[in-house]
Structure formats: structure tokens, C-alpha cells
Amino acid sequence: MSATSADQLAGNLRIAPGKPCPHGLQSSRQDWASRLTVGMPAHDLAARLGSLYSLCGESHRLCARMALARANGESLDNPAQAAVALQQETLREHLRRICLDWPRQLTVPVEAAHAQSDMQALLRHSPLLQSGALPASANGALQHWLAADLLDMNPAHWLQHWERRHADWLSDWCAHTALPLPRLLQGCRDRLHRRLAHSAVLRVHAHTDELQQLAIDMEQSPGFVLRPQWRAGCAETGSWSRLHETFEGALTPWLRLGARLAELVRLALPDRPGYSGAQWLSTGSVSTGPQAALAWVEMARGLLVHHVRLDSSGERVQSCRVLAPTEWNFHASGSVAQALATLPQEVDAEVLRDIDGLVSAWDPCLSYELNLENAHA
């Protein structure tokens, strides 16, 4: 498969800054899951979805397994092992975004090469990328690496400061720490630390009745999984919308970047229920009828939801719907679309930096291109 056909299969975002919602942000994503799973053996579903959405394959496999188990009235095998796998995939995804994408998206071109070199050098020494599965014995090495190369302080102490002071702490840390990551965040602070109109923070998984309504919408409303709504409006999801998250203050794009870093630190700490390690990210499932269930997983980019209905034998898939975080965050009337509408239509280097910053803060799982039709370039 050529790169072009792969891009077409994955879809992309078309961005037109300065255009009012819903004209400034369009997604070409398609609902492949529902097309490629009908009638297939149920025991193959998790592997197929994990392969189809390979960027966060472990999260999709787990979500599908949970939905299938619940649809059959069963429990998930070894949930503790699943929690560790989810923790490690999320850690690695956060680290890739921070070390590989942020230098390119958050710096001016003249500084990008130097920033990329610095961050890639850090990444090469990370215990997270040294082997496939991170053994429990490596947790100490991971915390030591965070302390020495990323934070310049004890990770647990860094997290405590973040929880107490959020924006003030992130500002102080960036201004007074001479390591590549705080320098990178300091460089984009003025541009991205501003309040913008945004959608509600998605916590549908906190309410069983709302999960039941979500299941109905996913299964019965055509196109819902590509343009979802919660409480009759748009919503956004990410590291800042976790079920255990207590921060309720105003979120700027810069603080969303801080929330991702905070979650990286939190996931690297020892297990503590509802607070850190493998017990931070929440998962769950609910029955939505005979041979049907909805499952959800807090993954790197936000909340992932699968709805599965099996045939009467319980052995084949009658329908499967996948609702990914990107569809919430990059909805044509969602948070990013609202922010893009405030930018000038004249696209220059400054506007491009603003677009890159917004995209990085909300983090889609697909590429974007500028749609300058009817706009000035």
C-alpha cells in the first residue's frame, strides 16, 4: 500500500483558519470499524480492531475484549494485567508525542532542529523504549530517568506541585529549570497560555444512564460516531478529563500540554488506587441489551468507546461501533474548531504556529492539511 493510499484510508483533517464553525475544520475519517467487522467471528474482533487502529492498538484490543465479555455475560480475564498493558501503552504514546512531535510543533523553524535533537537524545535513554514490555523492576529506572532528564527533580514532588498550583507551578518550573523540555514549554507559553472558548469536558463514563444513551446513539444514529454529541452539545476529552481528575480550573492550550506531562509522571509512579501507576486510568463496561454491551477505556488521547452487538449464538459480530477521542476533539463545531475560528484567514508563519500549537494541545491521531480554498494564503 502506498503512503498516499494509507493516508486516504486513515483520513486527515482539513483546516481553514478564520472560518466560523462548522466551516473551519473538516475530517475525512470514515467509520471503517462498522464496515469491516459485520459477520466476523467474535473471537477475532479484538485483534482486528487492534490492527485497524494500530497507533493505540492495545487500548482498542482491551476495549473490544471488555465489550465482548460483557455482551456474553462474562468477566474480563486478568484485569490487572490489562491495566498494566494500558498503562505502558499510554506512557509510550505520551513520551513519543512529547519528545518527537512537540519540538516540531511548538517551536519556530529556526529552533526546531536543535529542539528535536535535544529531545531525541533524551528519548534514546528512556527505559520505556528499551524493550517491549517494561518489567516492574524497571519502574525505579523510569522514575530516575524522569528525574534526571525531564524534570530535574523527584517525579512525585513535581506532581504534588502540579496538583496544588497547576498554571503557576508549570510557569515557575519552566522558567527556572534548564533542561530541554521546560525550555521547550517556556518558548510556547506566551502563545498558548490564553483562554479560549471550548466545549464541555467529556465525563460520560461517570454516569451509567448516559452511557446507555451513548450506546443508543452510537448504534442507531447514522454518522454519530464521526460527529458525536454529549448532552446535546460538543465535548472534548484528553488527559485532563480522566474520571479521577479533580482539576476544574480554566484550561488553556498550554495547560493541556501540562496535563499530558503530568499524566506521564503520574503513570510512572508506583500503583496507588485512583492516583498513579496502573491504577490511574479507568476502564469499564455496561450491558446494553441481550448479547450487546458498551465498553470504555481512558487511553492516551482521551476516552475510547466501543459498542458491540453479537448474533443470537454469541459467536459472530452483528454490529460494532468505535468512537475515538479524535472525533470529539476535532468535531467541526468542537473546541479546536472554535479556536481556529478566532485566527486570521491570512495564513503566515505566526498563524501556522498557532495552528500547530492548537493541534498539538488536543492531539489528533491523524495528520492535517490547510484548506485555503476561498481563503487568502
Side-chain angles (χ1 to χ4, degrees), residues 162 165-172 189 193 247 250 252 254-255:
W162 163 263
R165 300 174 58 217
H166 292 97
D168 289 342
W169 163 246
L170 196 60
S171 295
D172 288 349
R189 181 186 181 281
H193 193 34
F247 176 56
T252 67
W254 195 64
L255 278 176

Side-chain angles (χ1 to χ4, degrees), residues 137-152:
S137 58
N139 284 346
L142 176 58
Q143 291 168 41
H144 177 77
W145 176 78
L146 282 174
D149 289 1
L150 238 60
L151 306 176
D152 197 28

Side-chain angles (χ1 to χ4, degrees), residues 16-205:
K19 292 291 188 68
C21 300
H23 305 294
L25 178 57
Q26 298 174 326
S27 171
S28 63
R29 290 250 283 188
Q30 299 189 47
D31 180 13
W32 289 114
S34 65
R35 301 186 198 178
L36 301 177
T37 58
V38 175
M40 68 175 296
H43 60 75
D44 289 338
L45 180 65
R48 178 165 297 185
L49 293 179
S51 177
L52 183 61
Y53 301 98
S54 57
L55 197 58
C56 294
E58 189 61 43
S59 300
H60 280 275
R61 282 189 288 273
L62 172 60
C63 204
R65 287 171 50 213
M66 293 170 58
L68 288 170
R70 177 69 72 168
N72 280 318
E74 300 170 350
S75 300
L76 184 69
D77 293 336
N78 204 338
Q81 185 180 59
V84 171
L86 178 63
Q87 171 203 22
Q88 294 195 10
E89 180 179 75
T90 307
L91 271 168
R92 289 191 174 92
E93 182 59 19
H94 284 337
L95 200 57
R96 280 192 291 265
R97 294 284 293 119
I98 291 171
C99 291
L100 297 181
D101 294 340
W102 283 11
R104 174 176 50 84
Q105 294 173 328
L106 302 179
T107 57
V108 296
V110 69
E111 298 174 354
H114 185 64
Q116 285 178 310
S117 177
D118 284 347
M119 296 299 286
Q120 289 172 8
L122 298 181
L123 191 61
R124 282 194 290 272
H125 297 102
S126 168
L128 275 171
L129 301 187
Q130 301 302 309
S131 61
L134 186 70
S137 58
N139 284 346
L142 176 58
Q143 291 168 41
H144 177 77
W145 176 78
L146 282 174
D149 289 1
L150 238 60
L151 306 176
D152 197 28
M153 64 183 298
N154 181 294
H157 294 166
W158 189 98
L159 185 60
Q160 290 168 2
H161 286 296
W162 163 263
E163 290 181 320
R164 290 172 188 157
R165 300 174 58 217
H166 292 97
D168 289 342
W169 163 246
L170 196 60
S171 295
D172 288 349
W173 176 69
C174 289
H176 299 104
T177 309
L179 286 178
L181 178 57
R183 286 204 307 269
L184 176 67
L185 287 170
Q186 177 71 4
C188 65
R189 181 186 181 281
D190 291 345
R191 178 176 299 277
L192 297 178
H193 193 34
R194 54 195 175 97
R195 297 183 66 169
L196 299 168
H198 60 86
S199 306
V201 174
L202 180 69
R203 290 207 174 93
V204 64
H205 49 321

Side-chain angles (χ1 to χ4, degrees), residues 131 185 218 228-229 237:
S131 61
L185 287 170
M218 289 176 66
Q229 288 200 322
T237 181

